[in-house]
Amino acid sequence: MIEIDADRDACVGAGQCAVTAPELFDQNEDDGLVVLLRQPAQGEEEAARKAVSLCPARALLER
Ligand code: SF4
């Protein structure tokens, strides 16, 4: 099982993560910055890694 860190200081609110894996990521209503909803469950690793790789700000890290 993988764990994801979301760095709100690095996030630029591009929203790729929320589009790619909406079950794991959302965007704050006010500032648009990433909200990590929960850690990936079994079977969600691929979507989580895809979101990490697509983040233009490198704000998502796999621990
Ligand atoms: S893809 Fe990256 S920059 Fe865009 S909202 Fe998600 S964490 Fe922030």
Side-chain angles (χ1 to χ4, degrees), residues 22-54:
E23 63 281 14
L24 303 178
F25 303 100
D26 200 356
Q27 288 177 272
N28 182 280
E29 265 181 41
D30 296 324
D31 57 20
L33 299 181
V34 63
V35 177
L36 181 62
L37 298 173
R38 59 176 171 79
Q39 292 298 333
Q42 206 161 8
E44 294 177 334
E45 290 92 344
E46 195 176 328
R49 288 199 174 105
K50 191 171 178 195
V52 169
S53 72
L54 287 176

Side-chain angles (χ1 to χ4, degrees), residues 5-8 10-20 25-28 32-35 51-52 54-60:
D5 271 333
D7 181 355
R8 287 177 50 84
C11 175
V12 296
Q16 293 292 343
C17 55
V19 171
T20 305
F25 303 100
D26 200 356
Q27 288 177 272
N28 182 280
L33 299 181
V34 63
V35 177
V52 169
L54 287 176
C55 175
R58 296 187 181 278
L60 303 177

